[in-house]
Amino acid sequence: MVILETGQQDDIELVEVMSSPTAPAPQLTAANPLSKIPALVRSDGPALYDSRVVTRFLDARAGSDFYPESRIWDVLTVEATGDAIMDAGVLMVYENRCRPADMQFGGWMDAQWGKIEGALDALNARWISQLSGPLDMGQISVGCALGYLDFRHADREWRKGRDALDDWFAVFAARDSFKDTAPY
C-alpha cells in the first residue's frame, strides 16, 4: 500500500515468494536472515526488513508524510497495534498449518485471539480519532491487519461490538491501494 500511496510502483520490483516458517524460501532468507516478509533489497546497501523499517524507508524516499512529527508517538503506537494484530493472526495460522493436529494448543490460540481482541477494543475506543485523521502509517498498518483478519479469520467476527472500527474500515477498504493489494 505504501508503494502505491507514494507513487513508487515504477521504481520498485515486487517479487512473489512462496515461503513458510518450516520451509523458508532461499531467496527470502538471502534478503532477510529471519526469512520473513517484507524485505526490501536495495542496490545501494544491505536489504531492509520488517514492515516498520521498510515503510519508514519508503516514506522517507518518497518525501511523504506517513510519519508526521507532530503526532509521531500516536502514529507509531497505532502502527505497532496493527503490526501486533498481524503477528498474532499469523501465529494462529501457523499453529494450524505447521503443527500436527495432535500438537496444536487451543489455549495458546485463544491467547493469541485475546491479544487481537484487546487491540481491536483499544482501537475502537481509544484510537478511533487517530484513525480518522489524515492518512498515516498507523492507519495503513491497522487497515492491513483488519483485511488480514477478514482473509484468514473471518469466522472470528472481529467487527462484533466494534461499530466505530467497522465503519472506519469500510471507508479505508475502499481505497484503491487497499483493493489493489488485497490477497487473492
Side-chain angles (χ1 to χ4, degrees), residues 125-145:
R126 185 180 322 151
W127 293 108
I128 201 67
S129 63
Q130 172 70 29
L131 290 174
S132 300
L135 184 65
D136 61 38
M137 202 52 230
Q139 292 175 31
I140 293 171
S141 176
V142 168
C144 290

Side-chain angles (χ1 to χ4, degrees), residues 92 96 113 149-158 160:
M92 291 172 69
N96 283 322
W113 187 253
L149 293 182
D150 281 347
F151 180 61
R152 293 289 186 209
H153 301 289
D155 60 320
R156 298 275 186 157
E157 300 178 349
W158 69 262
K160 192 178 277 186

Side-chain angles (χ1 to χ4, degrees), residues 1 82 131 138-148 168-169 172 178:
M1 282 191 68
L131 290 174
Q139 292 175 31
I140 293 171
S141 176
V142 168
C144 290
L146 298 180
Y148 185 78
W168 172 82
F169 183 62
F172 182 86
F178 183 82

Side-chain angles (χ1 to χ4, degrees), residues 7-19:
Q8 297 182 74
Q9 56 270 29
D10 293 335
D11 301 333
I12 296 171
E13 177 187 2
L14 297 177
V15 178
E16 289 191 34
V17 178
M18 296 294 291
S19 192

